[in-house]
């Protein structure tokens, strides 16, 4: 048989005895990887007359795309909203640790902060590919400070801002730079928000609606201007009302521009959203659901006091509150836990649960041609999981970057 060397010197790895999530269903076939990409075996056999250099027996595991977390405030003692001189080492620590949760890419998220924090932190966030060093960084998610005082949640009121006459210039002056920014959460009912949404969208930044008292028509107007996401649906927004369902009404609105899909984040930790509310959202608009952790610095640490930007928060079991109150402030749930809880709470298929943490966030960010999928030529970022959706191993660009010690191969 002719050698593979004619096309590439890189070894071809064949993952066998597995069920692959492809085309929305688990299929019993092998996964082929070369040079960090998913390979089409037909082209390999018929065009290159090639074969695998290495075969790996997956022992009947599920192989699914790596998880993408578009809202994570920190973890393991690291708070992305705190300006420190060694901020980069904090990003490195979190990106390394979340590999065990199945996260292969993420958006470090900053909650409402003073301009000085954005000016110091944002230049230290570098968009980069994942690898043995940790999950890839897709860009920052800036949640605030242009949000509603009434629905500020755990965001410090003294740092909230409104849009003045030069609305987009206000935003630029506050953040300092948009170079590494991927998502901005704002309240669409604020004056002059439409021009800001239009300008951010023009620059390829995803606009998310959240921490808001917007009614449905204000939310629909924001979507018509380019907004595509809802930050943690049901949390920090007007509750659903039958005469005006508010932002929640976007899930079934008939005013969404043709060809546009509105996505919405859900913190599926069993605390932020009642399982019945999770089921309602999922049944109303299944293709828009994006699982997020909204994890804070206390994720992975013992209960007690930790920070979330300018605030002190208290962890009590899985509950996280602003210290001295009963205001929820982020979560300590891991992404794999959220996926399992979502499947259990909704009774959805394994495929649906996995896609809510992989394909949907990739579609939201417009990167579904390379992330969140196991289609040919996509990045070989994937997980091996048990039938119960526990992560056994994490791969980035076809290389194993984390493995559960107890799982032998």
């Amino acid at each position: 048989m002719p050698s593979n060397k004619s096309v590439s010197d890189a070894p071809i790895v064949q993952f066998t005895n597995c069920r692959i999530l492809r085309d929305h269903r688990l299929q019993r076939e092998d996964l082929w990887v070369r040079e960090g990409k998913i390979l089409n075996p037909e082209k390999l056999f018929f065009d290159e007359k090639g074969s695998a250099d290495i075969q790996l027996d997956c022992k009947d595991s599920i192989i699914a795309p790596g998880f993408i977390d578009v809202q994570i405030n920190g973890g393991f003692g690291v708070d992305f909203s705190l300006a420190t001189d060694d901020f980069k080492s904090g990003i490195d620590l979190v990106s390394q640790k979340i590999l065990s949760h199945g996260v292969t890419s993420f958006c470090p998220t900053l909650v409402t902060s003073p301009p000085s924090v954005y000016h110091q932190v944002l230049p230290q966030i570098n968009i980069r590919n994942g690898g043995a060093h940790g999950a890839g960084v897709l860009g920052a998610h800036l949640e605030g400070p242009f949000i509603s005082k009434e629905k500020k949640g755990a965001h410090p009121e003294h740092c909230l801002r409104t849009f003045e006459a030069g609305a987009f210039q206000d935003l630029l002056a506050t953040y300092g730079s948009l170079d590494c920014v991927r998502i901005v959460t704002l309240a669409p009912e604020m004056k002059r928000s439409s021009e800001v949404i239009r300008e951010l969208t023009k620059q390829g930044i995803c606009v998310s609606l959240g921490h808001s008292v917007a009614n449905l028509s204000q939310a629909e107007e924001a979507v018509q201007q380019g907004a595509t996401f809802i930050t943690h649906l049901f949390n920090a927004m007007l509750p659903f009302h039958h005469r005006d369902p508010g932002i929640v009404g976007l899930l079934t609105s008939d005013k969404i521009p043709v060809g546009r899909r509105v996505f919405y984040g859900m913190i599926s930790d069993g605390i932020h959203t009642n399982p019945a509310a999770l089921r309602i959202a999922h049944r109303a608009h299944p293709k828009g659901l994006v699982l997020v952790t909204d994890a804070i610095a206390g994720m992975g640490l013992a209960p007690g006091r930790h920070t979330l930007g300018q605030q002190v928060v208290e962890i009590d079991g899985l509950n996280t509150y602003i210290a001295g109150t009963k205001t929820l402030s982020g979560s300590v749930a891991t992404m794999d836990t959220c996926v399992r809880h979502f499947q259990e709470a909704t009774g959805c298929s394994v495929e649906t649960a996995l896609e809510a943490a992989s394909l949907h966030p990739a579609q939201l960010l417009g990167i579904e041609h390379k992330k969140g999928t196991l289609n040919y030529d996509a990045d070989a970022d994937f997980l091996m999981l048990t039938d119960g959706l526990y992560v056994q191993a994490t791969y980035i660009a076809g290389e194993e970057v984390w493995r559960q010690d107890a799982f032998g191969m």
Side-chain angles (χ1 to χ4, degrees), residues 63-70 72 91 94-108 127-139 293 335-336 354 357-359 361-362 365 367 370-374 379-385 391 393-402:
I63 291 192
F67 298 149
I68 299 170
D69 194 350
V70 299
I72 170 171
I91 286 259
V94 174
S95 66
Q96 178 68 50
K97 294 273 199 180
I98 58 179
L99 294 174
S100 66
H101 309 158
V103 177
T104 53
S105 306
F106 70 109
C107 293
I127 294 171
R128 66 182 188 204
N129 292 323
H133 58 273
V137 177
L138 298 170
T293 60
M335 183 58 92
D336 54 326
L354 292 168
S358 55
L359 177 63
L365 298 175
I367 55 173
K370 55 181 181 173
K371 303 280 186 195
T373 171
L374 297 180
D379 293 350
D381 297 355
F382 59 89
L383 313 174
M384 286 186 194
L385 304 116
V391 181
T394 304
Y395 285 76
I396 293 181
E399 299 289 328
E400 183 183 295
V401 292
W402 181 84

Side-chain angles (χ1 to χ4, degrees), residues 17-21 26-29 60-63 387:
N17 189 15
C18 51
R19 289 156 292 151
I20 302 175
L21 176 56
L26 288 176
Q27 310 191 30
R28 189 163 281 288
E29 56 183 83
D60 206 32
S61 296
I62 291 171
I63 291 192
D387 285 359

Side-chain angles (χ1 to χ4, degrees), residues 45-274:
F45 302 150
F46 297 114
D47 299 353
E48 299 179 33
K49 306 287 190 281
S51 60
D53 298 293
I54 303 162
Q55 283 190 326
L56 289 175
D57 181 352
C58 301
K59 303 192 174 172
D60 206 32
S61 296
I62 291 171
I63 291 192
F67 298 149
I68 299 170
D69 194 350
V70 299
Q71 188 176 7
I72 170 171
N73 310 291
F76 314 100
V78 175
D79 184 345
F80 296 145
S81 303
L82 281 187
T84 58
D85 292 334
D86 63 344
F87 183 84
K88 283 183 178 171
S89 64
I91 286 259
D92 291 346
L93 176 71
V94 174
S95 66
Q96 178 68 50
K97 294 273 199 180
I98 58 179
L99 294 174
S100 66
H101 309 158
V103 177
T104 53
S105 306
F106 70 109
C107 293
T109 304
L110 278 74
V111 296
T112 294
S113 303
S116 59
V117 170
Y118 297 114
H119 294 192
Q120 194 175 339
V121 167
L122 291 181
Q124 298 188 70
I125 295 179
N126 296 317
I127 294 171
R128 66 182 188 204
N129 292 323
H133 58 273
V137 177
L138 298 170
H141 178 170
L142 305 181
E143 188 187 358
F146 302 98
I147 58 173
S148 155
K149 195 192 300 185
E150 291 85 354
K151 291 293 177 185
K152 65 183 187 297
H155 293 239
E157 189 170 328
H158 70 278
C159 295
L160 299 183
R161 300 173 79 89
T162 54
F163 295 122
E164 302 308 324
F168 189 67
Q169 292 310 312
D170 287 345
L171 179 137
L172 275 180
T174 301
Y175 295 148
S177 164
L178 294 174
D179 289 351
C180 71
V181 176
R182 203 58 186 267
I183 304 173
V184 171
T185 293
L186 54 78
E189 71 276 13
M190 296 181 90
K191 280 185 183 150
R192 307 183 186 88
S193 65
S194 285
E195 59 186 272
V196 172
I197 293 170
R198 280 196 303 275
E199 191 55 44
L200 286 170
T201 303
K202 209 184 291 177
Q203 298 201 18
I205 293 169
C206 165
V207 176
S208 189
L209 312 179
H211 288 277
S212 161
V213 292
N215 60 33
L216 179 55
S217 66
Q218 289 168 325
E220 288 169 335
E221 167 69 15
V223 170
Q224 285 152 14
Q225 299 299 333
T228 53
F229 195 39
I230 302 169
T231 296
H232 45 52
L233 186 78
F234 297 124
N235 297 114
M237 61 187 60
L238 289 180
F240 179 89
H241 188 281
H242 58 285
R243 279 195 290 278
D244 191 333
I247 290 177
V248 177
L250 288 175
L251 271 60
T252 55
S253 169
D254 58 1
K255 304 278 194 309
I256 308 298
V258 175
R260 179 90 58 77
R261 186 187 304 179
V262 173
F263 292 90
Y264 58 97
M266 297 223 66
I267 309 167
S268 170
D269 61 355
I271 288 157
H272 278 77
T273 316
N274 185 283

